[in-house]
Amino acid sequence: MEKYAIRGGIPLVGEIDIAGAKNAALPIISAAIMSNETVTLENLPDVNDVNVLLEAIQRIGASVNRVDRHTVRINGSQIKGYDIDYESMKKIRASYYLLGALLGKYNKATVPKPGGCAIGSRPIDQHLKGFKALGVNIEDQGGFVRASCRQMEGAHIFMDVVSVGATINIMMAAARAEGRTIIENAAKEPHVVDAANFLNSMGARIKGAGTDVIRISGVPDFHGCTYTIVPDMIEAGTYMMAAAATKGDVVIHNVIPRHLDAISAKLREIGCEVKEGDDWVRVVATRRLHSTQVKTLPYPGFPTDMQPQMAAVLALADGTSFVRESIFESRFKYVDELARMGADIKVEGNVAAIVGISGYHGAEVSSPDLRAGAALVIAGLAADGITIVDDIEYILRGYEDFDEKLRLLGAAMEVVHSDAELHRFEAWG
Ligand code: UD1
């Protein structure tokens, strides 16, 4: 049993550094096995999802050497298997990136079909549509996707929905197909750009990543490289929200402020001061915030991965806010947990109507998923009294040193492993 115990009500003040982006690291680790030469990845976040994927590539024969906590050397020359096991996929959906990587390198791969997850049904039809367009034969066999072809050929692909995963997966495979591929209606997230930059560092010829249209000229081989992962915009955004909810003053280093524009704009709109420099942002909240409307959209819109954290802040703002979730259908599961802390939120369809309250009170709550878990911690930091957040393994999937960093900002928060530890925390202070 690992839980966060939080004594709320302390404004967060101080400075922290942001880690590399989990959602860039996952496709980049997968793509690294496409070279037979050694690839060195720097600024890798030390989070569970990344570590699980590193184990998964080792299981198919890649060598993985950790140089230090955030640097790893990967060599894919000894890969023996093209089948990804169900255990890997169960632990981390993003192992579907190995489909694009293995297809690109060996023209064959088998991966378990990822099921739905806490935030929605999450099909992979667009990934498969792209692979088929490249000439790949896809068979659905007993819960596995078997993909193979003699040689992929470039194609003109129009995505029906804007999908980060499908854009990157198709881009990886197409980077080694024969001829030219054009992906239209591509996702534009910073991690799509980072994955493209990484592939180009290995010798791929990809242009236009970060726009709606990505153009790829296939190359026969990749070489080794050293690459530094982009900073995690969602981790940064989460601390920005924590500063706002606790009426704090937090400087967040190692960020690309432009990636945070949608988040900064919303925080300014509700009454926070947001300042930025070359690689830092500072969020200051001194008075009660006010309500607004938020709609999640693909980048550069407001990210769905920030929706729960934003709602946790808006629950404390003056007036009624409306949050519309347009990417994942089941992303309001945390609302009932926030209600246990006093929030007044009603969900109808994909819209949450949030009536601002004057403050949260501590309660025992469970994280339904990664970002929702972070939102509950934010609420706990702002709450009067003690909050216990259960199921923190979801949070550990994506946040490096979450409790340490929050303590650095002054939070009174511990990981507790037993009732005895919890009682000690409750008795203290
Ligand atoms: C990635 C992120 C996740 C983030 C999401 C949206 C990773 C590991 N995860 O997930 O944190 O919340 O982007 O920014 O990077 N869709 C289809 N068919 C497909 C693929 C997607 O219909 O084949 C739909 C999804 O159901 C969803 C929308 O497209 O409604 C966007 O999903 P997508 O961008 O693919 O999300 P992921 O890449 O899975």
Side-chain angles (χ1 to χ4, degrees):
M1 155 197 141
E2 272 196 339
K3 301 177 182 185
Y4 287 136
I6 305 164
R7 188 184 308 279
I10 303 171
L12 297 185
V13 177
E15 308 195 5
I16 44 158
D17 288 320
I18 292 306
K22 166 182 89 72
N23 288 350
L26 298 173
I28 287 175
I29 290 169
S30 307
I33 66 166
M34 295 173 77
S35 172
N36 281 334
E37 296 178 14
T38 298
V39 167
T40 305
L41 299 179
E42 299 173 335
N43 201 33
L44 211 60
D46 185 10
V47 295
N48 285 356
D49 272 12
V50 162
N51 295 327
V52 167
L53 187 61
L54 288 172
E55 282 165 27
I57 63 168
Q58 274 179 300
R59 270 205 290 282
I60 55 169
S63 84
V64 174
N65 289 315
R66 266 203 192 265
V67 180
D68 59 39
R69 189 176 181 203
H70 298 120
T71 309
V72 69
R73 285 205 187 104
I74 295 173
N75 187 297
S77 61
Q78 302 298 318
I79 288 178
K80 291 177 282 294
Y82 317 108
D83 297 1
I84 304 306
D85 55 275
Y86 181 60
E87 278 311 302
S88 302
M89 182 60 84
K90 217 168 65 180
K91 284 192 199 146
I92 170 183
R93 275 182 57 82
S95 33
Y96 59 48
Y97 282 131
L98 292 170
L99 188 51
L102 289 167
L103 264 177
K105 190 173 183 190
Y106 301 108
N107 287 317
K108 59 180 167 183
T110 303
V111 300
K113 274 173 90 171
C117 75
I119 61 174
S121 63
R122 306 187 79 173
I124 58 161
D125 57 302
Q126 296 301 307
H127 304 231
L128 302 184
K129 169 181 158 166
F131 296 142
K132 281 184 195 157
L134 297 172
V136 177
N137 180 36
I138 306 274
E139 286 171 65
D140 186 343
Q141 272 181 6
F144 284 80
V145 176
R146 288 191 196 286
S148 64
C149 65
R150 265 184 349 105
Q151 170 62 50
M152 283 182 293
E153 287 191 12
H156 197 142
I157 301 163
F158 198 97
M159 311 293 295
D160 299 321
V161 292
V162 179
S163 159
V164 172
T167 301
I168 298 178
N169 228 347
I170 296 164
M171 192 167 74
M172 285 197 281
R176 293 286 282 271
E178 222 167 69
R180 271 168 71 82
T181 296
I182 299 174
I183 306 175
E184 304 232 31
N185 199 24
K188 297 179 280 202
E189 269 70 0
H191 27 294
V192 175
V193 178
D194 212 36
N197 287 343
F198 170 66
L199 287 162
N200 285 343
S201 302
M202 289 198 299
R205 290 172 59 201
I206 301 171
K207 286 187 184 158
T211 74
D212 294 322
V213 184
I214 300 180
R215 293 169 203 277
I216 304 158
S217 295
V219 296
D221 215 354
F222 284 164
H223 50 71
C225 69
T226 295
Y227 191 81
T228 304
I229 311 267
V230 77
D232 196 318
M233 57 181 264
I234 304 300
E235 188 197 10
T238 300
Y239 291 106
M240 292 167 80
M241 294 298 161
T246 61
K247 296 203 178 75
D249 179 351
V250 175
V251 183
I252 301 162
H253 294 278
N254 187 30
V255 298
I256 298 176
R258 192 169 40 85
H259 293 171
L260 302 168
D261 279 351
I263 300 164
S264 302
K266 275 295 157 204
L267 284 176
R268 288 192 183 108
E269 213 174 287
I270 63 174
C272 292
E273 194 185 331
V274 183
K275 291 185 182 158
E276 50 192 55
D278 283 351
D279 65 349
W280 57 267
V281 290
R282 177 178 178 184
V283 177
V284 186
T286 44
R287 50 182 188 274
R288 185 155 190 220
L289 302 173
H290 40 261
S291 57
T292 191
Q293 306 213 0
V294 179
K295 181 179 181 186
T296 63
L297 286 168
Y299 189 84
F302 190 88
T304 173
D305 284 357
M306 285 301 305
Q307 180 261 102
Q309 304 91 310
M310 182 85 219
V313 174
L314 292 177
L316 296 172
D318 190 25
T320 301
S321 298
F322 292 93
V323 174
R324 181 179 296 270
E325 172 56 59
S326 72
I327 313 283
F328 292 113
E329 72 268 23
S330 309
R331 215 161 189 179
F332 283 127
K333 287 189 180 151
Y334 64 91
V335 160
D336 291 343
E337 302 299 300
L338 278 186
R340 295 162 61 79
M341 302 178 69
D344 182 355
I345 306 179
K346 283 189 187 56
V347 176
E348 219 168 277
N350 66 344
V351 179
I354 305 174
V355 180
I357 52 167
S358 57
Y360 290 114
H361 52 76
E364 194 159 349
V365 291
S366 294
S367 337
D369 63 73
L370 166 60
R371 307 303 172 184
L376 295 174
V377 170
I378 290 172
L381 292 166
D384 196 17
I386 290 181
T387 296
I388 316 291
V389 181
D390 207 342
D391 292 333
I392 65 170
E393 62 275 7
Y394 286 114
I395 300 174
L396 300 175
R397 288 179 56 177
Y399 289 92
E400 179 178 303
D401 296 341
F402 196 39
D403 53 312
E404 283 96 328
K405 287 186 185 179
L406 288 167
R407 276 196 299 275
L408 210 62
L409 299 174
M413 167 178 186
E414 294 290 339
V415 178
V416 293
H417 303 86
S418 63
D419 286 340
E421 281 183 22
L422 179 56
H423 295 323
R424 263 201 302 280
F425 180 87
E426 285 169 336
W428 161 77

